[in-house]
Amino acid sequence: MFTLAIVGRPNVGKSTLFNRLVGKRLALVDDQPGVTRDLREGEARLMDLRFVAMDTPGLEEADDASIQGRMRRQTEKAVDMADACLFVVDARSGLAPADHIFAEILRKRARKVILAANKAESVAAELGASEAYALGLGEPIPISGEHALGMRELRDALAPWIEAYEAEQAEAEAEAAEMDSEFLPDLEEENFDPDQPEPPEATRRPLQIAVIGRPNAGKSTLVNAILGEERQLTGPEAGVTRDAIGFTLDWGGRKVKIFDTAGMRRKARIDDRVEKMSVADGLRAVRFAEVIVALLDAGAPFEQQDLRLIDLAAREGRAVVVAVNKWDLVEDRQETLRTLKEELDRLLPQIRGVPLITLSAETGQGIGRLREAIFRARDVWATRISTGKLNRWLRSVIDHHPPPAVSGRRLKIRYATQIRSRPPTFVLFSSRPDEIPDSYIRYLINNLRADFNMPGTPIRMQMRGGDNPYVDENTRS
């Protein structure tokens, strides 16, 4: 699909325009410059046009080793990847020296360039928009990403390029099909089964994974290692990532979408408005993910904030994998691993048996084991137990350790059923559900986890009043 990179210096409104084109708030937006630090892609729609829009960090003059310099390299990468660039300037404030520098960069590197003067909704912005002629990139299109002004003109400028691109793609596909028909043998009839049903939608949907952790734990480095390329900005500074950005890929034969999230600190320590927005974006990623990878720093594992984040994922009912990064820097690995496992079970009894994977995002060590742990955690998270098996198990554990007596009367649990998976959720029917102690419910959950091989996944168990609701009144004893 045709790709359009939106580029320009900080705070000219690139992310606002990007959100307008993709039709939803994917990128963080704030008056503070430099909020966007990574490349973000989305399927865009501009009237009848369909294309991929790419939001980029602001172009700034800076040393290559600085965070601004690394952000610039991310943008230059987007320029090289894109079929065209939309160079956005600020009509309200007029041209800046950096605009001229980056116009020269685009002339040398970009395939095609459209010049847009954003924030042109006021009469006062007309002068700034006319100044953009001086960049030598053709006639600037006055637009307002915030107020949707100038979208028709932008569509008309893009349309010929997208139509030419689609025509080239169709021609290339036709040539490839012609070559296939000439050089490839016919498929044998027995390889085709017309009665084979389409796989269900659930199997075609990418597995949603979110990587969470404290600032500077190495989340972006890990995501880059999984992707096999440097898509996320990384560096020694804490808090480099700000958006929860998702990347779709085929990972070991399984389609996944992995979200890198901003480092999360305690709310009391967050004063910056943009950081609060970043953390909120990360929390949304947690709520929509299926598997959470909680990334810890081997040099300081199980800080209070790490435990809070893992507990949050468990309370949200997500499958959890704990990964310990920077393992290549650990000296006594065997003793350290033993200590980590003991601490994990002691500190997080609510998800006993959660997978613990050691890795180095920098070297790629342990990435394969992480992948297998994620896939296994997702399958366990989706466990379903038949009602017959569940009630045979229930009778067995109750016979071994009956519920306690309350006020001289022993509590009875008569029936169990699973009402949903993801996470596994069970309902147990009892004559006095409110009197069953939490300790006995924990006993049931721990045995259920062990007997049906569900390590680490959150298990929810509800107690309800009444007998077996699926047995007819006349058959009850």
Side-chain angles (χ1 to χ4, degrees):
M1 189 176 285
F2 186 89
T3 302
L4 177 71
I6 305 172
V7 300
R9 57 186 171 86
N11 217 31
V12 296
K14 301 184 299 298
S15 293
T16 301
L17 178 59
F18 172 81
N19 287 342
R20 170 73 61 185
L21 293 174
V22 300
K24 49 189 170 183
R25 183 187 170 279
L26 287 184
L28 298 183
V29 176
D30 192 76
D31 292 337
Q32 178 180 328
V35 171
T36 300
R37 290 181 172 174
D38 293 291
L39 304 182
R40 178 185 283 278
E41 296 180 1
E43 293 188 10
R45 175 176 181 175
L46 186 58
M47 299 176 189
D48 59 323
L49 301 181
R50 303 290 184 277
F51 55 95
V52 173
M54 189 182 299
D55 191 21
T56 67
L59 287 162
E60 294 186 74
E61 291 183 272
D63 180 79
D64 284 349
S66 67
I67 189 169
Q68 290 80 12
R70 300 199 300 274
M71 289 163 62
R72 187 191 67 243
R73 290 203 304 274
Q74 288 283 87
T75 299
E76 290 170 348
K77 180 180 178 180
V79 170
D80 295 337
M81 291 167 52
D83 299 297
C85 291
L86 179 61
F87 184 31
V88 181
V89 298
D90 190 332
R92 195 181 301 159
S93 64
L95 293 185
D99 290 321
H100 292 275
I101 295 171
F102 296 127
E104 187 61 29
I105 292 174
L106 290 176
R107 264 194 293 272
K108 293 177 180 178
R109 300 183 70 146
R111 294 182 177 89
K112 297 178 176 65
V113 181
I114 294 176
L115 179 61
N118 195 29
K119 307 180 186 180
E121 61 269 16
S122 66
V123 176
E126 292 180 3
L127 179 61
S130 62
E131 280 183 14
Y133 279 99
L135 295 173
L137 293 173
E139 181 178 357
I141 302 173
I143 66 169
S144 171
E146 184 175 0
H147 300 284
L149 301 176
M151 295 299 106
R152 166 62 68 180
E153 291 74 13
L154 181 58
R155 179 262 171 216
D156 291 344
L158 271 174
W161 294 350
I162 294 179
E163 289 167 2
Y165 172 87
E166 291 175 346
E168 287 179 9
Q169 292 295 108
E171 184 177 349
E173 289 174 5
E175 289 179 1
E178 185 177 348
M179 290 179 64
D180 286 348
S181 64
E182 183 175 353
F183 296 108
L184 295 179
D186 292 336
L187 293 174
E188 296 181 8
E189 284 294 325
E190 59 266 30
N191 291 336
F192 175 69
D193 182 3
D195 296 323
Q196 182 69 29
E198 283 287 321
E201 184 64 30
T203 63
R204 297 197 298 268
R205 181 176 178 269
L207 168 58
Q208 310 281 311
I209 305 165
V211 182
I212 65 172
R214 289 181 291 119
N216 218 27
K219 297 181 295 298
S220 296
T221 304
L222 174 60
V223 171
N224 285 340
I226 292 170
L227 294 172
E229 60 176 316
E230 192 173 340
R231 291 295 302 271
Q232 288 291 82
L233 190 68
T234 62
E237 305 91 345
V240 171
T241 300
R242 285 179 167 172
D243 292 299
I245 300 177
F247 302 95
T248 302
L249 71 150
D250 185 290
W251 196 22
R254 195 163 180 172
K255 193 172 183 181
V256 305
K257 186 169 186 178
I258 186 163
F259 289 85
D260 185 16
T261 66
M264 300 185 195
R265 300 187 294 162
R266 291 175 56 189
K267 288 183 179 179
R269 296 183 180 178
I270 302 176
D271 298 320
D272 182 74
R273 181 174 66 251
V274 173
E275 186 177 353
K276 289 181 179 178
M277 294 165 60
S278 299
V279 171
D281 205 33
L283 292 176
R284 278 194 295 273
V286 169
R287 293 185 179 105
F288 284 99
E290 297 169 86
V291 180
I292 304 298
V293 176
L295 193 64
L296 313 183
D297 187 326
F302 300 128
E303 297 280 334
Q304 280 299 312
Q305 186 62 3
D306 291 325
L307 298 175
R308 289 191 182 95
L309 290 173
I310 298 171
D311 183 62
L312 167 68
R315 283 188 285 108
E316 289 290 334
R318 303 294 167 245
V320 179
V321 174
V322 175
V324 182
N325 191 23
K326 307 179 186 178
W327 195 246
D328 51 321
L329 305 179
V330 175
E331 293 183 0
D332 190 351
R333 298 183 182 178
Q334 187 172 355
E335 177 62 23
T336 303
L337 181 59
R338 183 186 65 80
T339 303
L340 286 172
K341 288 181 176 178
E342 289 177 355
E343 288 291 283
L344 189 62
D345 281 342
R346 183 179 67 84
L347 295 169
L348 296 164
Q350 67 273 35
I351 46 173
R352 187 176 299 278
V354 64
L356 176 67
I357 305 298
T358 58
L359 57 86
S360 169
E362 191 69 38
T363 66
Q365 170 196 349
I367 301 295
R369 286 185 285 110
L370 176 65
R371 180 187 64 211
E372 296 307 314
I374 289 172
F375 292 170
R376 167 64 178 155
R378 167 57 178 78
D379 293 342
V380 170
W381 185 64
T383 294
R384 284 196 172 275
I385 304 172
S386 71
T387 300
K389 285 183 179 179
L390 189 61
N391 281 280
R392 286 193 293 274
W393 165 84
L394 180 63
R395 286 193 294 272
S396 173
V397 294
I398 288 177
D399 288 344
H400 180 73
H401 178 32
V406 176
S407 301
R409 296 171 57 202
R410 185 165 294 281
L411 299 171
K412 292 183 179 179
I413 300 175
R414 296 187 171 89
Y415 183 77
T417 187
Q418 183 174 1
I419 59 171
R420 57 167 291 185
S421 59
R422 302 183 303 170
T425 303
F426 303 88
V427 172
L428 275 62
F429 293 88
S430 170
S431 57
R432 293 180 289 164
D434 296 338
E435 297 179 16
I436 296 178
D438 291 341
S439 59
Y440 193 78
I441 296 176
R442 286 195 298 271
Y443 159 78
L444 293 174
I445 290 176
N446 289 336
N447 277 272
L448 185 67
R449 189 188 303 284
D451 293 341
F452 288 100
N453 194 21
M454 294 189 288
T457 201
I459 294 177
R460 293 176 174 169
M461 190 170 285
Q462 304 169 12
M463 306 302 297
R464 293 184 187 172
D467 297 317
N468 181 344
Y470 301 101
V471 176
D472 185 86
E473 284 288 342
N474 295 326
T475 64
R476 288 182 182 163
S477 57

